[in-house]
Amino acid sequence: ILEPELAEPRGSRWCEVAHWPDPDRDLYADLAAQACDSLARALTRPFDLIAPRGDEPLAAVAAPVLPSELPPLPLTLDNWRLEQTSPSALEFTRASTWGRSKLVRVLWYLFWSIIYIILSITTLYAGIALPKPEFLPYLGLVSALLLIVLIARQVYELMTTPNRIVVDGAARRVVALRGGSERWRVDAQDMDSVYVSQVVGKKVKNGKRTTHYGELNLHLLDNRFVPLIEHGQVEEKPVQSDLPAEDMIVPLTVDRIETALQTAGAHVARALSLPCWYDQRVK
């Protein structure tokens, strides 16, 4: 479908690219829809499927590809910062406070595990009567063991969790890095869309609604989701869009962007030339 500037001199806004001789009207419906969807993605344009007259729509339409007029970067999202590193690349960087909080937790767990071990062993081998109930020293050793397991988990996360996520629009891929080491990679040819999921409050107060939690995910063609970031901070967002307070999945358009996480999802989707969906869950 052409813009009015081209449609007027042609006398029609329709420009045929391909057709299928289909006496049954739905014999090639899936093939045509797949071809049109692929063409829309290649041209970074929205795709609408119009059913034959008198029929119901054949399938859900794809989310529109977002235009260039998006809220500016950089953005801060909980423990992450999103920046534009080049005209075609974005980068999520995890804040150093995340690593420091993990380290403080390790030291805290280590302190109490040592205290539990010393008290338990001293009680067992001091040559005096055991306390009542007598299992308390053993309970202290079990508690120390659990703390050591938690320490190991925190250290493992510190060493393996990505601290940078690079969205490369030129190469059309997303790469997660820990320092200079690649942890995982997803190519755009395996992606279907970008999903922004948020848990929001049902009530509106002073024109604002509470956002309790959010996630930014990549939806793959095999229907799996790859998580990018989580946004756990409680926020008050102004209600500007036409979305009611109910569970829904709708295309994320510019006029519906109200939060930093939605802005981040829109930038990622535009960089990868993918549709972006907003998944709203009402609490």
Side-chain angles (χ1 to χ4, degrees), residues 139-154:
L139 181 61
L141 291 175
V142 172
S143 299
L145 179 61
L146 291 175
L147 287 172
I148 291 173
V149 172
L150 292 176
I151 290 171
R153 179 181 177 182
Q154 297 297 319

Side-chain angles (χ1 to χ4, degrees), residues 248-283:
M248 63 178 62
I249 299 177
V250 295
L252 181 62
T253 53
V254 174
D255 58 312
R256 288 174 175 164
I257 294 177
E258 298 172 337
T259 66
L261 189 66
Q262 291 172 333
T263 301
H267 276 280
V268 171
R270 188 186 66 182
L272 297 172
S273 298
L274 291 174
C276 189
W277 296 92
Y278 176 52
D279 179 11
Q280 178 175 277
R281 311 290 177 89
V282 177
K283 180 178 180 180

Side-chain angles (χ1 to χ4, degrees), residues 58-117:
L58 298 175
V61 299
V65 177
L66 289 151
S68 58
E69 297 82 10
L70 296 177
L73 299 177
L75 287 174
T76 300
L77 304 110
D78 206 351
N79 291 316
W80 293 92
R81 179 178 174 84
L82 175 61
E83 296 179 289
Q84 185 98 34
T85 56
S86 77
S88 61
L90 307 170
E91 183 170 316
F92 291 92
T93 306
R94 194 188 292 272
S96 58
T97 53
W98 179 84
R100 288 198 295 268
S101 66
K102 290 282 186 182
L103 184 58
V104 169
R105 194 171 301 173
V106 167
L107 295 175
W108 183 247
Y109 289 161
L110 180 62
F111 170 78
W112 281 108
S113 62
I114 293 173
I115 294 296
Y116 282 137
I117 290 172

Side-chain angles (χ1 to χ4, degrees), residues 196-214 231 233-246 248 250 252 255-263 278-282:
V196 179
S197 301
Q198 288 187 308
V199 180
V200 301
K202 192 168 186 177
K203 295 182 179 179
V204 177
K205 186 176 181 181
N206 298 326
K208 294 183 177 181
R209 180 178 287 133
T210 303
T211 302
H212 300 278
Y213 174 78
H231 186 50
Q233 289 184 339
V234 177
E235 296 180 332
E236 297 291 332
K237 69 168 186 174
V239 180
Q240 301 171 349
S241 70
D242 57 348
L243 296 181
E246 59 185 46
M248 63 178 62
V250 295
L252 181 62
D255 58 312
R256 288 174 175 164
I257 294 177
E258 298 172 337
T259 66
L261 189 66
Q262 291 172 333
T263 301
Y278 176 52
D279 179 11
Q280 178 175 277
R281 311 290 177 89
V282 177

